[in-house]
Structures are given as structure tokens and as C-alpha cells.
Amino acid sequence: MTERLPWDHERLAVRRGRRSGVTTMVAIHSTALGPAAGGCRMRQYPSLDEAERDVLRLSAAMSAKCAVAGLAIGGAKSVIVLEPGQRLTPAERRAVLLDHAELIESLDGAYLAGPDVGTGPEDMLVLREGTRHVFCLPESAGGIGSSSGPTADGVLAALRAAVTAVFGAADLARRRVVVAGFGAVGRPLALGLAEAGADVVVSDVDPRAREDARWLGYGWAEPGEALAHPADVVVPAAVGGVLAADTPLAAPLVVGPANNQLVSDDVADALAARGVTWVPDYVASAGGVVYTVAREIEGLDHAAAAARVAGIGDVVSRLLSDSAEHGTTPLAEAAALTRRRISGVRPTAG
């Protein structure tokens, strides 16, 4: 196992699995607030360098996500690095998960793993064979299952708060909302929006999603055109790196769960200059970790944990109010709140 200490991260652990030969990584950004939690991502990467950059970016975002949400949890992330075109058989998948479990266990509880892109509750069950530091096992095994639903609920709470700030009322009826990414989070989010009366338009790179959207009564936008589709709100719910200073946007509000939506932080200022309100992705997407911590660490029941998730709306309202008062962006306010939380300096009431 090799380890390096990049940037402001506490630890980066990289290991080539003894069973599978597949490289896995864990990046721990901060344990200042508690043990570091973050999802286990399994996907193809063009190179190990790209995988390393991804795990470092994602782990830093998890620190901010947990801090802004008020959790006594630090930020981390892990990735299982598949080569381009690599497809695992069931036996190979099990082998690489067991290898990854060994890496997690070697960190002595500093990292708490959960599902992420490319993994799910059944994979967490395999990880549990090699380490106890795993969340979101299947409900049949005593876990809470997938956190996608709570993540979608948190985005909906964030969206309502942002719609109130931008349009003056929380009512989503007849608001056109484009959900760019019709996957594990995008689908339940689209359903919640439709139930609230929104005019829902969805987009996805999977062509099968178009027929699903038609059957459900949603509109459709081609993937390359989704962000520029005429709308009140755009919801990035798939890949990151989709927002640049010159990205065509027709909506005045962007709120979504996709990680690392901005190509660089200065895009937040450019969007604000264009009159676009962007709610930081790590704020909007915190529902999954908030719910998981409430259920699996604090022992709360579903109703109490769901109420915690709904509180994301209050966080967004405060960030938008502070950014308007201070002439800053919501990202700047979220970053300042993160620094205060991690350093132990709490904001004064008011």
C-alpha cells in the first residue's frame, strides 16, 4: 500500500488488490468533526491519475457537505478503479470488493463507507464481510438500504427553499424543472416534482430513459441540450463538470445533486454575474448522508431522520439570505460556514 499527503487531505491510501489485481483508493480529507464518511464509487477511469483526482475532489466535497449540514462527521471518499472497457464477472466483483474491504479495515475506523456511483446496498453487504465500517446494507440485512431516496428528498427541500428565494414563493406548481440525469436520484426527484405540480422535463444519455419519461408523462430534452432548455430550474443530477462560465443556461436557478458541477469555483461568480443562482451541489445533495447518520449512528427512526433531511431547506434559505446580504455567492457563504464548522468556531445567532 502506498500513501501520500496531497493538498490539505489527511490521508490518501492506494492499494492493488491481492485477489483481483484491481487498484482501490481511499481519500480522507478531514476527521476534524469526526470519523470521515463517504461513498464507494466503482467506475472506469482512463488512468490512475484521473481516479486519484476524482477521489480527492469528492472527499473534499464530502467534508464540506457534512460540515454545512451540521454533522459530527468528516469527509472521505473511495474509488474502485476499473480500466476502460473493463467488465467484472460476479466472481471478479466479489473479489475486488473484498480487496477494498481490507483497505477500509486497515484504516481503523477513520473511514466509513457507503454506496456511491456503481455500487449499492448488496455491495455493502460484501464489504461488511471484511470490515464493520460500512453503512447502507440491504434492509433485509438490518441496514437502511439505498440512500438515493433521502438524497432526492434533500434536493427537493433545497429546491423549494431556492425557488422561494428566487421567485418569491415555494409553490412548484407549473414551474418547469429540467432534471438532467434520470438515474437513481433523478427518478425519485422527478416523481416528487411531478407530485408537487411541476412541469417536469428529464434528460439522460441512456436512450431507454426517453420511453420511460414518455410513459410517466414527463417532457424530454436531449442530453446535450438539457441545460439550455427553457425552464425555471435546472437540476444537474448526473455527471459533474457541466457548468462553465459560458455554459448556455436558460433557467435563472440551478439546484442539483450531481457532484462537482462547476469546472472551477470561480464559475459561481460568473453565474451570479449572469443572474443565475447556483446552490452548491454539496449542500443540495446532503440528504443521503444526513439520513444515514441519523438512522445508523444516532439511531433515529425514519420520521425523525426524514425531518433532518427536510432541514436542508433551512440551510439553503440561510445561505441564500446571507449571500444576498453580503453581496457574495451561495458558494462563498457555504465555504465560510464549512471553515467555521471545521475550525470549531460556530456562527453567532441572528
Side-chain angles (χ1 to χ4, degrees):
M1 182 170 67
T2 61
E3 300 184 33
R4 286 182 285 168
L5 301 176
W7 307 333
D8 58 346
H9 285 67
E10 293 180 10
R11 194 171 191 181
L12 172 64
V14 183
R15 176 180 289 178
R16 185 173 179 85
R18 63 183 179 87
R19 300 173 184 83
S20 64
V22 173
T23 299
T24 71
M25 304 178 182
V26 176
I28 298 176
H29 179 259
S30 173
T31 57
L33 295 174
C40 169
R41 175 168 295 200
M42 183 188 299
R43 55 161 290 196
Q44 297 173 12
Y45 288 92
S47 67
L48 289 178
D49 284 345
E50 183 56 38
E52 182 180 296
R53 284 192 289 271
D54 197 31
V55 77
L56 293 171
R57 287 192 298 261
L58 292 167
S59 59
M62 277 301 300
S63 283
K65 179 182 296 188
C66 294
V68 171
L71 302 177
I73 292 290
K77 209 76 168 186
S78 66
V79 298
I80 295 172
V81 187
L82 302 184
E83 296 179 355
Q86 184 176 9
R87 297 287 188 272
L88 300 178
T89 66
E92 290 170 339
R93 187 180 186 92
R94 176 176 171 79
V96 73
L97 287 167
L98 291 174
D99 285 338
H100 195 45
E102 285 188 354
L103 176 56
I104 294 169
E105 182 65 17
S106 73
L107 300 174
D108 298 322
Y111 168 55
L112 311 175
D116 199 80
V117 174
T119 65
E122 293 296 332
D123 297 310
M124 300 303 103
L125 194 58
V126 178
L127 289 180
R128 180 58 71 90
E129 294 181 32
T131 179
R132 67 188 185 280
H133 307 298
V134 182
F135 290 144
C136 298
L137 272 64
E139 293 182 47
S140 60
I144 63 169
S146 173
S147 61
S148 296
T151 299
D153 291 341
V155 176
L156 189 58
L159 199 151
R160 288 185 184 277
V163 164
T164 301
V166 173
F167 300 110
D171 188 8
L172 294 172
R174 296 177 297 280
R175 293 284 178 197
R176 176 168 290 179
V177 183
V178 176
V179 180
F182 199 44
V185 177
R187 283 176 180 264
L189 179 56
L191 176 61
L193 289 165
E195 290 177 344
D199 175 12
V200 179
V201 177
V202 302
S203 178
D204 199 277
V205 295
D206 185 346
R208 294 171 295 182
R210 184 167 193 162
E211 182 60 25
D212 291 345
R214 185 195 65 79
W215 185 79
L216 291 166
Y218 304 148
W220 177 261
E222 292 300 324
E225 302 169 0
L227 298 181
H229 194 86
D232 296 299
V233 188
V234 166
V235 179
V239 298
V242 295
L243 296 175
D246 58 352
T247 298
L249 286 168
L253 177 60
V254 181
V255 186
N259 291 311
N260 298 323
Q261 294 169 23
L262 306 184
V263 297
S264 61
D265 285 353
D266 58 2
V267 173
D269 297 295
L271 292 176
R274 292 167 54 184
V276 175
T277 298
W278 178 73
V279 174
D281 41 37
Y282 59 78
V283 178
S285 64
V289 68
V290 168
Y291 185 85
T292 300
V293 168
R295 292 294 308 277
E296 299 207 18
I297 293 181
E298 299 184 35
L300 301 184
D301 62 17
H302 168 74
R308 291 275 185 89
V309 173
I312 291 173
D314 296 331
V315 175
V316 171
S317 293
R318 181 61 181 266
L319 292 176
L320 295 180
S321 174
D322 288 349
S323 67
E325 179 182 349
H326 302 153
T328 59
T329 65
L331 178 60
E333 294 298 328
L337 178 55
T338 297
R339 290 191 296 270
R340 291 195 298 267
R341 280 275 296 151
I342 291 179
S343 66
V345 178
R346 297 184 180 275
T348 57

